[in-house]
Amino acid sequence: MLPEKSKVLVTGASGFIGSHVVRHLADIGYMVTALDLRPPPQEHPAGVIKLSCDLRSDSLPEGDFAFVIHLAALGGVRPSMERPLDYLETNLRATMRLLEHCRPRGLQRFIFASSSSVYGPTAGLPSKESDELHPCSPYALTKLQGEEWGRLFSEKHGIDFFALRLFAVWGEGQRPDLALESFRRKILAGETITIHGDGEQRRDLTHVSDVARTMEAALTWTGNGFEVFNIGTGRNHSVNEMLRAAEEQTGMRAKVEYGSEHPADVPVTLADVRKTRELLGWEAKVFFPALPSTLCP
């Protein structure tokens, strides 16, 4: 049941995931404040309050927000290998500033967008929230450290902190550097696609519309304290399968070359989603390569 006039602050609201989350929450009745440095790719729904703010350095927003959904971050394991200090500043320091800002203001719940990358290399078995973690990139490490700061604030200050470990999000409006969109654009441009390794690396691909729904589920869940949830499908697909899907979408053959493996990549991601299904009552509805009918061109 949606609390009356629930106010939620969404950071990273102009990003790929954030814009979908803002739209979904506004559509079901939340009073949304959308915070980002950049304008959204398309206008947020009517009634959404827009704030421009750099969480690393600006004065943080005042207001009686019941909930925070913290999506603002630098993404990508590969670029983080070259820019670790940028990732530390943006992904960790900004998270800590936001937590400390919210602590004395009566915040009920802080939902943190974590990542499946915290698991690191696995043996190909589904990753459970209780598994030992081996992050192998600065990006993954900042996400794990964000979770740990959330655990501390939950234990010491009573903030409900839920970390959602997102598995390879895809869908309408995805970033151009993500594999599916990058493949599509390069095929259309007649450019050569470079795949690191043999292309048999596998990813659990989670549609952005399902991610937006899980934010709703996390807001309304009756649990409390510190919790971690996997957000995935429990299925995975190879990079070569993604390439074939891009070829089918464009109706063109790709020019492909295979190179050496990237040190930040892991061979397999696959979510064990039993905890999320049993506690949050959430499970994926959209499975690659299908699109929900509302997003089909």
Side-chain angles (χ1 to χ4, degrees):
M1 183 67 68
L2 178 64
E4 185 179 1
K5 294 186 177 180
S6 294
K7 294 183 179 180
V8 57
L9 173 69
V10 178
T11 73
S14 295
F16 163 44
I17 298 173
S19 58
H20 284 267
V21 170
V22 167
R23 189 179 313 123
H24 179 75
L25 295 181
D27 286 347
I28 60 175
Y30 280 91
M31 299 175 66
V32 180
T33 297
L35 182 152
D36 207 304
L37 274 173
R38 301 167 297 152
Q42 60 185 44
E43 278 299 311
H44 293 308
V48 171
I49 298 170
K50 296 180 283 293
L51 289 180
S52 178
C53 177
D54 188 333
L55 294 174
R56 298 168 296 186
S57 56
D58 289 349
S59 296
L60 299 183
E62 299 293 341
D64 54 344
F65 303 109
F67 310 111
V68 167
I69 296 177
H70 183 38
L71 301 169
L74 284 177
V77 296
R78 293 178 184 174
S80 76
M81 300 292 284
E82 305 299 326
R83 301 164 52 201
L85 293 180
D86 289 342
Y87 279 72
L88 181 67
E89 185 75 8
T90 301
N91 294 4
L92 186 58
R93 185 173 185 274
T95 299
M96 293 166 61
R97 287 190 79 224
L98 187 58
L99 277 167
E100 181 61 15
H101 176 74
C102 291
R103 178 176 61 82
R105 289 171 168 77
L107 180 75
Q108 295 178 25
R109 183 160 296 181
F110 192 106
I111 297 171
F112 176 67
S114 187
S115 168
S116 62
S117 64
V118 300
Y119 291 110
T122 68
L125 298 175
S127 296
K128 300 189 295 294
E129 291 87 348
S130 57
D131 285 352
E132 190 173 350
L133 306 176
H134 299 283
C136 58
S137 70
Y139 169 76
L141 186 57
T142 61
K143 287 299 183 180
L144 177 55
Q145 291 170 332
E147 290 186 13
E148 289 304 308
W149 276 100
R151 182 194 299 274
L152 182 66
F153 270 70
S154 179
E155 293 174 353
K156 302 302 181 183
H157 305 302
I159 294 175
D160 290 345
F161 186 99
F162 302 158
L164 307 184
R165 292 176 179 165
L166 307 181
F167 280 69
V169 184
W170 68 289
E172 184 185 50
Q174 62 193 309
R175 298 197 322 263
D177 60 302
L178 298 178
L180 288 163
E181 182 63 11
S182 174
F183 292 167
R184 187 187 70 85
R185 291 186 181 207
K186 288 186 176 182
I187 291 172
L188 290 173
E191 298 175 1
T192 298
I193 295 169
T194 300
I195 292 178
H196 295 273
D198 60 6
E200 290 307 304
Q201 309 94 314
R202 302 187 70 83
R203 297 291 179 263
D204 191 328
L205 299 171
T206 314
H207 196 269
V208 67
S209 64
D210 284 330
V211 173
R213 287 193 308 105
T214 201
M215 299 297 169
E216 175 191 355
L219 289 175
T220 57
W221 184 48
T222 56
N224 53 41
F226 173 85
E227 289 288 351
V228 175
F229 296 98
N230 284 337
I231 309 301
T233 67
R235 310 178 187 180
N236 58 20
H237 303 268
S238 72
V239 173
N240 287 328
E241 288 178 80
M242 297 180 213
L243 177 64
R244 288 193 291 272
E247 289 180 325
E248 290 180 9
Q249 184 182 10
T250 60
M252 299 170 63
R253 291 297 300 273
K255 303 174 185 177
V256 186
E257 62 181 26
Y258 291 86
S260 58
E261 295 180 0
H262 194 283
D265 287 345
V266 297
V268 177
T269 67
L270 183 62
D272 183 320
V273 294
R274 286 175 293 181
K275 178 181 177 181
T276 307
R277 182 173 59 244
E278 292 167 4
L279 294 188
L280 293 187
W282 175 94
E283 57 187 348
K285 292 183 177 180
V286 182
F287 297 92
F288 176 82
L291 283 172
S293 57
T294 56
L295 296 183
C296 289

